[in-house]
Amino acid sequence: MDDIRIEGGRPLGGTVAIQGSKNAALPMMAASLLHRGVSVLKGCPRIADVFCMEEILKKLGACTWWIDHDLYMDCTNADKTEISGTDTGKMRSSVILLGALLGRSHRGCMGYPGGCVIGERPIDLHLTALRRLGAEIEERPFFVAACGELEGAEIIFPKKSVGATEQGILAAVLAAGETSLVNCAREPEVQWLCRYLRGMGAKIAGDGGDCIRITGVESLNAGNMQVPPDRIVAGTYLCACAATRGCITIENPPEGELDAFLEVYRKMGGQYHIKSGKLLADGTGICHPVPFLETEEYPGFPTDLQSPLLAALVTIPGKSHIMEMIFEDRYKAAYEMNRMGAWITVAGKDAWVEGGYPLHGCTVYAQELRGGAALILAALAAEGKTTVKGYSFIRRGYEHICEDLRALGGIIVKD
């Protein structure tokens, strides 16, 4: 049940709707702990990472249930404060629960976070932010954090971090006084978390900029929000369109969140336009390599789309060059693509692509989420049949990638 079989060589075509955002839903789920009652996330993606976070909430004492894609979380009795290393080791974003536990119960004990192996991804910025707000944290084989009442403070992040910014927000909304978070990440997921919390009664200003200001409140109301479409899933499907020289329509594009990616798509020769709220993408004219591209914090080119873009670039004759500036070990999929006939040279942060060589189906191995999705894209562009092993990585972030791509004309079967 962990294999995907793909027969490539067909341009994709048709219409697809984008699932709810993984990176938006997970911190919203953590935020729901801050209200002693029922909160709901509408259009929540039914993916492995969401199920993992849901299971952690249940072990803390929450009661959860689904109605179609709406996730209900009753956190009235979610008063337990310990999360096992077995649970946190399954998912990187589990670490943001520490700030929510401190805000709710003034105590939290949890194992180290896990997730995809794409670099070190240290959490020192998370711990520094919590300590600035008054938490005392012991680092053993697990974290033990405690506080009296959290107190507002100025927190200056030495570098932008999505997770650390979210951690600071979650801990500060119930802290006494004023908190200023400086040099914040500007990713849409941070902004969606702030909107969700404001809907619960939090006082937050400045999200979307480098400085977020929070005035603590005594309690929060129930959360209720439609989870936005996943910009990384949308970008992945656009890369599939590019790699197969297809034409697709995205019914619910993440408005304004893919500008950096779409600029690269246009430079490769792709065309797109927005009509009646839909994104129409034409990849039939894609033929230009990308001389140089580096991944950046938002609003720059997203690291999560680096591997899917690589799958498109290997199909384009000429030389392309990518520099990975966010994670130091995110080229695992490149080596698997080379086994399919691609010519990718990796050295440290850099990947050089000699594109245009025909790809041939074979057995390849997904080792992390986005790289696994990229291998599916390369397989769609390849001649013959490919088996992608390691679907368990891919389903962490893609709810129905096989069904979506099959609806667009891809020949893809999940074993």
Side-chain angles (χ1 to χ4, degrees):
M1 296 295 290
D2 206 34
D3 295 354
I4 299 174
R5 303 187 188 279
I6 301 132
E7 185 173 342
R10 294 186 174 208
L12 296 184
T15 300
V16 65
I18 304 300
Q19 68 184 60
S21 168
K22 172 181 91 81
N23 291 335
L26 294 174
M28 290 180 190
M29 292 176 72
S32 299
L33 274 175
L34 298 172
H35 169 65
R36 296 178 180 273
V38 180
S39 296
V40 59
L41 294 179
K42 298 176 180 177
C44 192
R46 299 178 70 110
I47 54 176
D49 273 13
V50 165
F51 294 147
C52 181
M53 182 69 87
E54 181 188 11
E55 186 63 24
I56 292 174
L57 292 180
K58 288 162 71 173
K59 289 181 179 180
L60 291 172
C63 178
T64 69
W65 65 95
W66 292 82
I67 299 179
D68 193 15
H69 276 73
D70 297 346
L71 172 60
Y72 291 80
M73 298 159 286
D74 184 350
C75 295
T76 303
N77 299 311
D79 292 322
K80 296 180 182 178
T81 58
E82 296 185 7
I83 307 172
S84 73
T86 301
D87 289 322
T88 61
K90 296 175 183 177
M91 183 177 60
R92 165 71 183 179
S93 57
S94 60
V95 69
I96 62 175
L97 286 163
L98 194 55
L101 288 174
L102 288 171
R104 177 188 175 103
S105 301
H106 307 298
R107 176 179 169 78
C109 176
M110 64 190 304
Y112 279 82
C116 289
V117 182
I118 54 176
E120 292 184 2
R121 310 177 83 177
I123 60 172
D124 56 310
L125 299 182
H126 293 251
L127 303 184
T128 298
L130 294 176
R131 285 175 171 136
R132 286 284 297 146
L133 292 168
E136 295 183 358
I137 304 173
E138 296 182 31
E139 299 178 55
R140 306 172 184 174
F142 46 86
F143 296 108
V144 178
C147 62
E149 184 178 23
L150 293 173
E151 296 185 359
E154 182 180 61
I155 301 169
I156 302 175
F157 296 110
K159 62 179 181 180
K160 294 183 186 296
S161 165
V162 174
T165 300
E166 293 170 343
Q167 186 83 264
I169 293 167
L170 288 167
V173 289
L174 293 180
E178 306 280 337
T179 296
S180 293
L181 305 176
V182 182
N183 198 29
C184 294
R186 299 170 61 190
E187 269 71 4
E189 296 77 31
V190 173
Q191 299 175 49
W192 284 109
L193 174 60
C194 290
R195 292 173 194 172
Y196 183 64
L197 285 165
R198 275 199 298 268
M200 298 171 71
K203 296 182 179 180
I204 304 173
D207 53 299
D210 289 334
C211 181
I212 297 175
R213 297 174 299 281
I214 301 168
T215 302
V217 296
E218 291 187 2
S219 63
L220 293 175
N221 304 315
N224 187 322
M225 178 170 279
Q226 178 76 33
V227 178
D230 194 307
R231 64 191 177 101
I232 304 303
V233 173
T236 299
Y237 292 170
L238 289 170
C239 285
C241 174
T244 63
R245 307 302 190 269
C247 294
I248 69 171
T249 297
I250 294 178
E251 286 188 342
N252 56 332
E255 186 176 351
E257 296 182 4
L258 278 175
D259 291 351
F261 171 82
L262 288 171
E263 179 62 17
V264 174
Y265 184 83
R266 183 187 63 79
K267 289 180 178 178
M268 291 192 300
Q271 299 182 34
Y272 68 91
H273 65 278
I274 305 291
K275 183 178 180 180
S276 301
K278 300 179 180 181
L279 174 62
L280 287 68
D282 182 349
T284 57
I286 283 181
C287 60
H288 303 296
V290 176
F292 179 75
L293 172 72
E294 64 179 4
T295 60
E296 300 176 277
E297 296 92 353
Y298 190 84
F301 191 92
T303 179
D304 280 352
L305 287 177
Q306 178 254 101
S307 293
L309 178 67
L310 202 60
L313 292 178
V314 299
T315 70
I316 302 174
K319 297 181 179 181
S320 296
H321 177 194
I322 293 179
M323 181 177 288
E324 173 56 55
M325 299 298 293
I326 308 300
F327 297 120
E328 69 276 7
D329 193 19
R330 200 155 204 179
Y331 288 125
K332 295 182 185 298
Y335 300 102
E336 297 298 301
M337 290 183 206
N338 282 347
R339 298 179 62 239
M340 300 176 69
W343 285 71
I344 306 171
T345 303
V346 174
K349 297 179 179 180
D350 297 283
W352 290 271
V353 180
E354 290 278 353
Y357 292 94
L359 300 178
H360 303 282
C362 66
T363 298
V364 292
Y365 296 83
Q367 300 174 67
E368 45 89 11
L369 168 57
R370 305 304 176 185
L375 294 178
I376 294 177
L377 272 52
L380 289 170
E383 301 172 357
K385 297 180 180 180
T386 299
T387 297
V388 178
K389 292 184 173 291
Y391 175 65
S392 56
F393 289 102
I394 300 166
R395 67 187 182 91
R396 287 187 50 230
Y398 295 87
E399 181 175 352
H400 31 58
I401 188 171
C402 296
E403 294 83 353
D404 286 346
L405 293 175
R406 194 158 52 239
L408 294 173
I411 301 177
I412 178 168
V413 177
K414 185 169 51 185
D415 289 345

